[in-house]
Structures are given as structure tokens and as C-alpha cells.
Amino acid sequence: MGVTVVPGDMESVVTAAPATEGAVRTVTVTVPATSANLGPGFDTLGLALSLYDTLTVSSFADDRLDIDVAGNGSDAIPLDASNLVVRSIAHVFADVDRTMPGLHIFAENGVPHGRGLGSSGAAVTAGVLIAKGLLAGDVDLDDEALLRLATELEGHPDNVAPALFGGLTIAWTGERGPQHKKLLVHRGVAPLVFVPGFTMSTSLARSLQPPQVPREDAVFNVSRSALLVAALTQSPELLLDATADRLHQDYRGAAMPETLRLVQALRAEGFAAVVSGAGPSVLVLADGPGARQRAVEIADAVADTPWDAHMLAVDVRGGTVRDRAEGST
Ligand code: HSE
């Protein structure tokens, strides 16, 4: 039991990808982890964090599909056409009516899998950015198209928006499809993520929520999510009130009681702790390095399962794509 602080999360570790003789084009894509909901902002708010997946992808004139995966999820990720990155690339090529090329994919995954830190959103975002890079010069995919394509694959925009654009994002779906507004987070906000050894299925978590909620609970979340935008951008001292939620966390708690207990223990000590995405990780929005250390001590004292603690930064860039030949972003 207890908490292990994991060092060295600030940058992705990029090792040399295997040489790809005869490639038509090679692109490297880096995508951040994301934490969705942030308490009250269910399916709306998301935050990009400094843990990364990095993928180097070469296209070929034949129909090969070679996939190598290192890092998180490497023992479980499919290495065939059912791979989520491959399906996302194929979705974009079909959308713009182009023939899917042969691919060699080399993925180094720093985003924990199945832990509520946006691993599927990162895979989808990587796929659409790889397609953007491979299609550059032929098809121009703007930000709105990237968000639409990623949301079609992911089902909701709150992870893919910050994965694509970085920072704090508000995402919604309007008449023109999924849209986003990116905001920069107050520099006094210091994210800390506790990641357990067990996973949680997003579809199971979603199935635990009732189709309707009392009006007072809806009003509660409307007020807190409006306040949360102000707290994250201007007034971090409001974060504890602003991260309260009645729409999803308690309903889902039965499927991840250790997570709910840690959230409650940290909140009782004044920390703005929430379930990260659909769980089971816990996100703490602390107000500085000293506060993060204190949160780790509290978590260590109450932990009833092992947790890895990652002291992170807000990623402000979002996903990037670089063409190996041109060296451009
Ligand atoms: N908003 C989503 C949920 C995020 O909580 O179900 C998980 O992908």
C-alpha cells in the first residue's frame, strides 16, 4: 500500500525509431495525456498534462501494416488493423476520400492506459495528426476538422480537445459540430495525479449514471463548472468549491471505491481533488509544489491500494506533428 512518487514525467522520452527504407513519408507525432471533467465539467472541460505518447509513422506505396509499441499498454494494444491509431488514420483518409497507404508505426506510450488520463483520446488524436502530416500538401485539415474527426472516433470531445490544442479546453457540440475554446491556466495551479494499479472501463462508468438527475443537482454543477473556469484561469483559491460535482463521481464510486475514498480524504483536507475522467486515477489541482508534497503525504496515510503519484505541468502546446524530411511542425 502507499504512494510512490514517479520522477521524470516532464518530457516524453524519444528514442530513435527504426530506419524505414523506402518510405514515402515519415512523420513524428507527440500527444499529451488529458484529464476530462475536472469535477463538475462532465463531457465538457479538459486539461492537457505533461505525460506524452510519441509515434513515428512512415507511409509506403504498398499495403504493409507493421506496428511496434513500447511503454504503457504495450502488452495489450492490438498490432493489426483494429489498433485505434490505425482506425483513426483510416477514418481521416476515408473522410477526405484518399487511399490508405501502407504504414509502419513505432509508438512510445507515456500515457497510462485505462486510468482516466485520456489514453484512447491520445491514440485517436495521434491518428488524426498522423493523417494530417501524411496528407500535408494534398489535403489541408484545419483545427475544426481535426476536432470533428477525433470526436467522431472518441464519442465525446472533452479529452481530444485538450489533446489536440493543449491547456484548459471548454468543448461543446454546436450546429457546426464539435467546437472548443482554449484557455491558459493560472500559473499557480500545480497538477498532481495519483494512478492506481487497476483500470476502469469508460463504458462501464458511463452505464452507472442515471439518465436523469434532480434539477438541484443540475444547477449545482452548472454553478460549479462556471466557477471552475474562473478558478483555473484567475482565482485558484476557489478551486475546492469549484471542483465539487453531483453528476457522475458518486454514481460511479461503487465501481472504484478506493478512488472515491482518496478523493474524499484529500477534499476533507482542503485539496481540490477529483476523479480524473472516468477514473480510476485522481487529479489534484494544488496551489504549488509544497501543497503537492502535503497531498502526497495525506494520500500515503489513507491509501488502501498502491498509487503512483505524478507531479505534472499543464501542457500548453497540445499535439504536435513533425515531418521528418521537412523538419517542420
Ligand atoms: N467525460 C468522459 C466521462 C471522459 O467521464 O465519461 C472519459 O473518457
Side-chain angles (χ1 to χ4, degrees):
M1 303 306 158
V3 174
T4 305
V5 177
V6 181
D9 295 320
M10 299 301 290
E11 291 297 333
S12 57
V13 180
V14 184
T15 59
T20 44
E21 287 275 324
V24 175
R25 200 161 195 173
T26 298
V27 297
T28 297
V29 163
T30 299
V31 182
T34 53
S35 185
N37 302 331
L38 309 180
F42 181 69
D43 278 1
T44 302
L45 297 179
L47 189 64
L49 297 169
S50 59
L51 282 172
Y52 300 92
D53 287 350
T54 299
L55 297 90
T56 295
V57 179
S58 296
S59 61
F60 293 87
D62 54 29
D63 62 357
R64 78 185 70 183
L65 179 58
D66 300 322
I67 305 174
D68 293 326
V69 181
N72 288 314
S74 57
D75 49 350
I77 291 172
L79 304 178
D80 57 20
S82 69
N83 179 284
L84 186 53
V85 174
V86 175
R87 284 195 282 126
S88 304
I89 298 170
H91 181 67
V92 179
F93 272 77
D95 188 79
V96 300
D97 204 17
R98 294 293 187 276
T99 304
M100 182 83 161
L103 295 172
H104 179 278
I105 297 175
F106 178 61
E108 296 172 288
N109 291 342
V111 179
H113 270 233
R115 304 300 203 284
L117 289 165
S119 58
S120 69
V124 164
T125 299
V128 299
L129 288 176
I130 289 162
K132 176 185 167 79
L134 296 179
L135 289 163
D138 174 23
V139 177
D140 186 29
L141 294 164
D142 63 14
D143 285 354
E144 190 170 296
L146 294 173
L147 183 59
R148 172 182 63 78
L149 289 158
T151 304
E152 285 167 1
L153 290 150
E154 173 80 341
H156 43 87
D158 50 337
N159 286 106
V160 292
L164 279 166
F165 308 117
L168 166 67
T169 54
I170 305 169
W172 71 100
T173 299
E175 286 180 2
R176 297 205 326 268
Q179 308 287 317
H180 82 286
K181 171 66 182 169
K182 174 180 177 179
L183 298 165
L184 294 181
V185 172
H186 192 286
R187 64 182 176 179
V189 176
L192 165 64
V193 173
F194 292 101
V195 183
F198 56 91
T199 60
M200 180 73 197
S201 140
T202 297
S203 57
L204 170 62
R206 292 179 87 83
S207 75
L208 297 174
Q209 293 174 253
Q212 295 182 319
V213 295
R215 182 194 303 203
E216 55 268 32
D217 289 354
V219 171
F220 183 97
N221 270 54
V222 170
S223 66
R224 293 332 187 266
S225 53
L227 183 63
L228 182 51
V229 173
L232 278 170
T233 57
Q234 299 171 14
S235 310
E237 72 278 6
L238 295 172
L239 276 169
L240 182 60
D241 273 357
T243 48
D245 157 68
R246 289 190 188 166
L247 284 191
H248 60 101
Q249 294 182 158
D250 286 347
Y251 294 117
R252 295 168 162 187
M256 42 183 163
E258 301 93 339
T259 295
L260 209 58
R261 277 198 290 276
L262 181 55
V263 167
Q264 287 165 349
L266 288 163
R267 292 188 70 83
E269 295 290 333
F271 286 95
V274 296
V275 178
S276 182
S281 294
V282 173
L283 170 71
V284 181
L285 297 166
D287 63 2
R292 288 200 296 205
Q293 191 51 46
R294 174 82 188 116
V296 167
E297 288 163 15
I298 292 166
D300 195 48
V302 303
D304 47 12
T305 190
W307 297 88
D308 283 344
H310 298 256
M311 304 214 185
L312 302 176
V314 175
D315 171 275
V316 294
R317 276 184 315 183
T320 60
V321 54
R322 185 162 55 89
D323 189 309
R324 277 287 180 93
E326 297 167 6
S328 58
T329 54

